[in-house]
Amino acid sequence: MPSAIRVEGLAKAYGPVRAVDGVSFEVPEGHVFAFLGPNGAGKTTTVEILEGLRNRSAGTVEVLGLDPWKDGAKLHQRIGVIPQEFRFFEKIHPREAIEYYARLFATPADPIAILKRVYLEEKADAKFDTLSGGQKQKLGLALSLVNDPKVLFLDEPTTGLDPQARRGIWEVIRSLKADGRTVFLTTHYLEEASLLADDVAIIHHGKIIARGPPETIVAAHGRPDRLRFEAGPEVARYLASHIPFAVTAENHHVEVELREKEDALKVLAALQESRLPWERFSVVRDTLEDVFVRLVGRMDDGVIKSEAA
Amino acid sequence: MKLFRVAADLPIVARQYTRNPIGLFFSLVFPIILIGLFGLIFSGSATTAVDLPTLLLDHSNSTTAFLDALNATGLVKLNFVGPMDPSQFGHYLFNAEDPVGLLIPQGFGASITAHSAVNLTVYTDPGNPSSSGLVEAAVNSAVTQLNFRAAHAMPIIGVDSLTVTSRSFAYIDYLIPGLIGFSILTSPMFSMVELVSTYRKEGFFRQLSLTPLTRAEWLTSRVVWYILLTFLSAAVMLLVGIFGFGAHVTLSLGMLPFLMVGPFLFVSLGMLAGSVSRSPESAAVIGNIITFPMMFLSGTFFPTTGFPPLLQEFAKVLPLYYVIDGLNSVMLFNSPTRALLDFAVVFVIALAIFLAAIVTFKWREE
Ligand SMILES: Nc1ncnc2c1ncn2[C@@H]1O[C@H](COP(=O)(O)OP(=O)(O)OP(=O)(O)O)[C@@H](O)[C@H]1O
Ligand SMILES: [Mg+2]
């Protein structure tokens, strides 16, 4: 599949600050790509370089085969963008905003159809400054769709929204993917990335520290699955001396690391032999969130220095 | 520059504007309040016609026509001095209290009839610019009128509008063009400077840079909007001035170029001021520094001819001076040549500032 976005050795420095520090990745056409990272990681800087809003210090960047900084005008015809904290003219209504964009892009667009797509049609004729945060974000999404873009850049489209509104936006992003569009998404929400993205990159201090489909990242950087149950410390002590797996106890919870799924049976057998009381077992698996917290935490502790992708 | 995009942007400008009562108040209501205020304070205080010593060395029909035209301006009161040698006239005036004068040379009428060039001599006094200005305006007006007649020009310029009622100018007559100029200046300056810096702060320009709209188109649609607004507010001011305060001004089409080039200039200047300043606060300061001197010293509330000489010179570096001088020339003094010159000055400045604003202004960062 051809690449919609190709980035090679991208860097951006603000004086001594290396906002983006040698980032490379490709996004195939039709994929949803999530850029994950804590505050100040370099997400917005990267996205805005891809959109042609900022120039880069080094590296090559291609979006739909164009250099965003040099061919901005041409590129903007074919991409859609929601900036972080999208804002629009206070006194303008969503319907008018879409008509405006349609005229600027010289493209026929049905404002109501587009507003329906983002579940905003009931606010078609309300002033922008009367919309809620989620409704504003939805208008941003609607505007980014006016020119029927092949690639969409969504910079934290759901930050600050309630779970309901967030799900609404996810719905739209899924439908964009179903259309065959490429979506580049930045987010703080790991759940969002694992639910929506084909591919995730975790960026920290301007460097990509993990990269791949969400499950692959979890498999590569997560801890093994754990069997977890409610039991006292005496159970933990018993298990530690009777089975060869790592056991941890905390707050009346015991966790046993499993190297393969059959290990669970051994743990349960040992439990039964112990005749000690225990309750409510479950299997715990690392989420992207756990991986993220560990990776970013370890990197801040200076453990990961050379693991950058 | 694509006009369809300017046309797409215009309704957005209009809606943002009309949905914001403060902006409308400043462009439409505020000037009327000013007319009312100043009109009431100064009503009745008419400027008296200037006493003009005139050495008349020619007696012909053309001379009579010229003197009639001069009288008709109402700006000067002719005071014929006894026959003397032209070379002595300057000396005579030097000793007079108000050293302005007019010399109509021998053969003036004959030259006109023969269609050959002839010069009048106007004596003015730099120390007394107010009466000098009036004398020049009156003579220019009469000369223009006669020139048209001599050239058998068709009345496209409006020969009937050249006939000014025989009276002196009232303060309100100066006030109308002055306040039209005032609103041409203030309405775009105050809002553009603020608008540009908030737009930048809010990221609206980055947002727009992702659409095909260009900076020149964006600025043009605002210029067009302020021209429309200026037409509207000028019409309102004229109505209030003429019917409310009995102002006597000539409603000539010659006003239109100034009502267009003025907003062109100040919308661009507002954009330039807004784009060179980093924050909305400093933008407001820069805007005020540019706006305030012009607001008071360009002939808005009082004709500059009444200013001390130094301030008069200063007024001439203020672009608004030329807008108001041009409006005065067409609305009061009927001197199209002067208006044309004023227009040229404003147009050149406006074009330069428009281009500078577009060049200085960046929608995206490096
Ligand atoms: N215009 C700028 N001038 C100076 N430094 C900047 C500029 N823009 C970004 N930076 C710096 O670059 C780094 C990356 O910023 P960026 O906005 O890309 O982070 P982010 O990942 O989008 O963070 P967030 O999740 O908070 O939006 C930060 O340290 C920031 O301070
Ligand atoms: Mg950001």
Side-chain angles (χ1 to χ4, degrees), chain A residues 43-44 84 155-156:
Chain A
K43 302 184 294 296
T44 298
Q84 185 167 0
D155 195 358
E156 301 192 21

Side-chain angles (χ1 to χ4, degrees), chain A residues 104-125:
Chain A
L104 291 182
F105 280 105
T107 168
D110 175 1
I112 291 303
I114 292 182
L115 288 173
K116 274 202 175 118
R117 237 196 125 157
V118 300
Y119 310 102
L120 194 61
E121 72 273 20
E122 83 274 18
K123 289 288 179 184
D125 298 302

